[in-house]
């Protein structure tokens, strides 16, 4: 259950505003974590310093974002996808170095760190991204 709520919290943060990294920084400065901010938003309890970010506070209070995050999570699970949040120890360190690192990664299969464990060398990577039935 905890993993579910944590994943939904990170999906939620991708919906409530941009730039994502700034939103995450504000939430982590005002709450202990993105998860804690999500839980407070669920209870409609907001830090006074977050309220000064009017649009962010409005979006945090909007329960529709929580519903959408739950829907995205459920859809991903039905498709057999896995979700990796930025706070996970399995999150690729090289991605964390990016100024705009994705808050959430959706994937199928296993991550190299899951396969190789501590023997995994993050410098040896290959990734193929594409679409099977792409049209012009």
């Amino acid at each position: 259950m905890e993993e579910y709520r944590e994943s939904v919290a990170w999906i939620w943060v991708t919906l409530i505003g941009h730039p994502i990294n700034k939103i995450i920084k504000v939430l982590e400065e005002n709450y202990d974590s993105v998860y804690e901010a999500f839980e407070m938003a669920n209870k409609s309890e907001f830090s006074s310093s977050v309220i000064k970010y009017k649009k962010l506070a409005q979006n945090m209070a909007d329960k529709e974002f929580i519903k959408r995050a739950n829907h995205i999570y459920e859809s991903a699970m039905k498709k057999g996808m896995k979700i990796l949040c930025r706070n996970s120890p399995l999150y690729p360190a090289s991605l964390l170095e990016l100024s705009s690192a994705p808050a959430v990664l959706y994937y199928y299969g296993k991550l190299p760190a899951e396969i190789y464990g501590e023997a995994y060398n993050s410098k040896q990577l290959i990734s193929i991204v594409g679409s099977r039935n792409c049209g012009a």
Side-chain angles (χ1 to χ4, degrees), residues 1-14 20-21 24 28 33-36 38 69 72-73 76-77 81-96 100-107 111 113-114:
M1 182 65 164
E2 185 72 25
E3 185 178 322
Y4 162 78
R5 297 287 291 171
E6 184 81 27
S7 294
V8 171
W10 279 92
I11 295 167
W12 168 79
V13 83
T14 68
I20 298 289
N21 289 330
I24 291 170
E28 288 179 339
S33 64
V34 167
Y35 175 75
E36 185 66 28
F38 174 74
I72 291 168
Y73 178 88
M77 293 300 105
M81 299 172 98
K82 295 179 184 175
I83 297 173
L84 185 66
C85 304
R86 190 167 20 188
N87 67 333
S88 169
L90 294 176
Y91 192 93
S94 57
L95 280 181
L96 286 173
S100 58
V104 179
L105 298 173
Y106 301 89
Y107 68 99
L111 297 168
E114 291 175 300

Side-chain angles (χ1 to χ4, degrees), residues 108-124:
Y108 293 102
K110 291 186 177 185
L111 297 168
E114 291 175 300
I115 297 168
Y116 303 112
E118 293 193 25
Y120 169 65
N121 179 349
S122 64
K123 300 294 181 200
Q124 299 172 344

